[in-house]
């Protein structure tokens, strides 16, 4: 860990996950400084470099050298958005921790309103988007459906249309540090811990520059983690469907027997048999797949691997965050070490 021992904990922390965001980093810094200086409080900007293959790390280290309030965690590879947020909140030392995206879709100006609610006594202030600019119709529709489905099949209350953009009191962050599951849906976890929560509304802006790091494949993965992480309903569906089908076929057996006994020359065609067998085969495979989704996640948990590996940390003072379970934080190395970007990965 670098940094002098004279440092104290800042009041506010901003946590930003960063994966190939060289196009937005200078503007991000400018906007964050402009807003945070208005609060009159001490603050830090915790940037988590999630294995960027562009110049992101170089830009971040440059900012860190000029402004020690900018702190950088450098992952050993790309671990994904939710894990990057986890690491950021593990290291953030503020009394309030604000998580936001690097692309300025979460307008830093909204942070001021979050801080107001925090000062009023709320411990989690989440931001609900009332509109989203610059998103495809498809994304809006699937996201809308997803949040409503999630609402129905989970026991905890996950507010509709909220992302990871939120403020959490230090007490919430300390509690969240005990939730170490691999497949994380952070906004679900932040509901799960409870505390006094409130939502504020905001308009989600367009991405400032660059392109989305969330293609359909990753959206599906996140949605699956959200559902499997917070609900057994998909597993229970098999039971319900099984009972339904068993009842139906029992009726079918009765009807067939009665028709036979009453002398009706009742004959089920081959096509009907084939179709029902194939249909049931399909249904069984689907549920096998659903069980597989849960099983794979159980396997990942059992392996107990760390959630992330921080290969280098810049600007943090040691505190209890360094005893975080399921994380690897490698010791500092001599200065003047050259920094080259990570290998490019497919999105
Ligand atoms: N991100 C990350 N690791 C990833 C994917 C994304 O750290 O594997 C970061 C990204 O740099 C951004 C945030 O997560 O700060 C949200 O990504 P993006 O804006 O592309 O998602 P969208 O807003 O399109 O859903
Ligand atoms: Mg975005």
């Amino acid at each position: 860990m670098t940094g002098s021992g004279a440092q104290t904990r800042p009041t506010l922390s901003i946590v930003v996950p960063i994966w190939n965001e060289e196009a937005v980093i200078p503007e991000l810094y400018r906007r964050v400084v402009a807003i945070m200086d208005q609060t009159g409080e001490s603050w830090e900007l915790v940037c988590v470099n999630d294995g960027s293959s562009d110049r992101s790390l170089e830009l971040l280290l440059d900012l860190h050298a000029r402004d020690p309030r900018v702190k950088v965690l450098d992952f050993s590879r790309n671990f994904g958005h939710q894990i990057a947020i986890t690491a950021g909140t593990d290291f953030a030392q503020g009394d309030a921790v604000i998580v936001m995206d690097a692309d300025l879709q979460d307008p830093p100006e909204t942070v001021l309103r979050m801080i107001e609610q925090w000062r009023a006594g709320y411990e989690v202030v989440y931001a609900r988007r009332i509109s989203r600019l610059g998103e495809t119709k498809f994304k809006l529709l699937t996201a809308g459906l997803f949040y409503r489905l999630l609402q129905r099949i989970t026991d905890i209350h996950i507010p509709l249309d909220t992302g990871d953009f939120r403020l959490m009191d230090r007490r919430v962050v300390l509690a969240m540090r005990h939730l170490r599951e691999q497949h994380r849906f952070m906004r679900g976890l932040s509901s799960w811990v409870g505390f006094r929560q409130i939502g504020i509304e905001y308009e989600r802006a367009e991405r400032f520059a660059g392109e989305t790091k969330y293609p359909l494949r990753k959206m599906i993965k996140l949605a699956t983690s959200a559902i499997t992480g917070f609900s057994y309903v998909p597993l229970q569906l098999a039971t319900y469907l099984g009972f339904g089908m068993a009842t139906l076929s029992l009726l079918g057996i009765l009807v067939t027997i009665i028709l036979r006994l009453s002398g009706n020359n009742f004959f089920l065609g081959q096509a009907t048999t084939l179709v029902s067998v194939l249909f049931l085969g399909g249904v069984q495979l689907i549920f096998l797949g659903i069980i597989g989704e849960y099983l794979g996640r159980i396997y990942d948990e059992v392996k107990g691997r760390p959630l992330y590996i921080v290969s280098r940390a810049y600007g943090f003072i040691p505190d209890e965050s360094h005893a975080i379970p399921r994380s690897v934080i490698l010791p500092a190395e001599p200065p003047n070490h050259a920094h080259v970007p990570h290998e490019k990965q497919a999105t």
Side-chain angles (χ1 to χ4, degrees):
M1 297 316 110
T2 53
S4 68
Q7 278 175 312
T8 48
R9 287 204 299 112
T11 309
L12 303 166
S13 301
I14 303 247
V15 168
V16 185
I18 289 179
W19 187 38
N20 297 340
E21 301 284 12
E22 60 180 7
V24 302
I25 289 170
E27 179 67 9
L28 171 73
Y29 174 70
R30 207 183 57 73
R31 294 266 292 273
V32 166
V33 171
I35 289 302
M36 296 315 279
D37 282 349
Q38 282 181 40
T39 63
E41 303 279 7
S42 57
W43 56 270
E44 64 177 359
L45 174 62
V46 178
C47 300
V48 185
N49 177 39
D50 189 11
S52 300
S53 55
D54 65 358
R55 290 178 55 241
S56 293
L57 180 65
E58 195 188 321
L59 296 181
L60 292 175
L61 290 181
D62 208 49
L63 288 176
H64 167 65
R66 282 192 282 129
D67 183 348
R69 293 174 300 184
V70 179
K71 302 172 183 178
V72 183
L73 289 176
D74 186 24
F75 275 180
S76 64
R77 65 166 167 87
N78 177 260
F79 281 90
H81 178 209
Q82 299 290 304
I83 298 285
I85 296 177
T86 306
T89 46
D90 286 350
F91 276 75
Q93 291 166 327
D95 294 327
V97 176
I98 297 133
V99 175
M100 64 185 215
D101 285 354
D103 58 4
L104 297 165
Q105 280 195 291
D106 307 329
E109 292 69 24
T110 314
V111 170
L112 292 179
R113 286 197 285 137
M114 290 179 164
I115 294 170
E116 257 171 49
Q117 296 294 334
W118 174 61
R119 292 220 171 95
Y122 289 98
E123 291 157 306
V124 175
V125 188
Y126 55 83
R128 267 197 67 187
R129 36 195 181 232
I130 46 171
S131 69
R132 297 176 91 168
L133 296 171
E135 303 275 21
T136 59
K137 277 226 168 66
F138 178 76
K139 182 153 186 171
L140 291 181
L141 183 75
T142 47
L145 281 175
F146 168 68
Y147 286 108
R148 275 147 194 89
L149 172 76
L150 200 62
Q151 175 103 328
R152 293 199 61 147
I153 65 173
T154 54
D155 295 332
I156 54 158
H157 172 70
I158 300 175
L160 288 177
D161 304 320
T162 56
D164 291 306
F165 185 27
R166 62 189 57 221
L167 177 152
M168 290 175 284
D169 186 82
R170 182 167 173 83
R171 300 169 61 74
V172 179
V173 172
L174 292 180
M176 296 260 295
R177 286 181 192 169
H178 291 273
L179 312 181
R180 304 311 285 176
E181 58 214 72
Q182 280 281 350
H183 298 274
R184 308 170 72 77
F185 183 61
M186 289 298 277
R187 49 205 101 147
L189 296 178
S190 121
S191 293
W192 184 89
V193 292
F195 294 95
R196 286 184 286 273
Q197 309 220 352
I198 193 170
I200 59 168
E201 297 188 331
Y202 80 112
E203 293 188 8
R204 192 157 167 89
E206 272 182 74
R207 192 173 233 289
F208 175 73
E211 53 197 53
T212 175
K213 310 296 184 297
Y214 261 94
L216 184 61
R217 187 176 49 80
K218 279 197 191 172
M219 273 162 58
I220 292 175
K221 203 173 149 208
L222 182 68
T224 323
S225 293
I227 293 171
T228 54
F230 291 95
S231 170
Y232 297 134
V233 169
L235 291 172
Q236 291 162 340
L237 274 182
T239 319
Y240 302 143
L241 206 72
F243 271 114
M245 290 236 172
T247 317
L248 261 181
S249 48
L250 211 68
L251 283 176
I253 291 170
L254 283 178
V255 169
T256 318
I257 292 175
I258 293 168
L259 284 177
R260 276 285 162 88
L261 288 181
S262 60
N264 271 311
N265 197 7
F266 187 73
F267 182 69
L268 274 180
Q270 232 182 6
T272 325
T273 320
L274 198 67
V275 166
S276 45
V277 165
L278 286 179
F279 175 71
L280 277 181
V283 169
Q284 283 167 351
L285 283 182
I286 290 173
F287 282 107
L288 213 57
I290 292 180
I291 295 175
E293 289 292 333
Y294 284 87
L295 185 69
R297 285 172 168 77
I298 296 172
Y299 186 42
D300 282 341
E301 294 307 333
V302 170
K303 281 188 281 193
R305 288 191 187 150
L307 301 179
Y308 54 81
I309 299 173
V310 172
S311 73
R312 295 178 187 92
Y314 302 88
F316 295 91
I317 43 167
D319 80 341
E320 71 268 38
S321 65
H322 299 288
I324 291 288
R326 284 184 91 169
S327 65
V328 172
I329 297 128
L330 297 175
E333 58 195 355
N336 304 326
H337 189 91
H339 298 286
V340 293
H342 287 260
E343 250 174 80
K344 258 210 167 59
Q345 292 186 348
T347 317

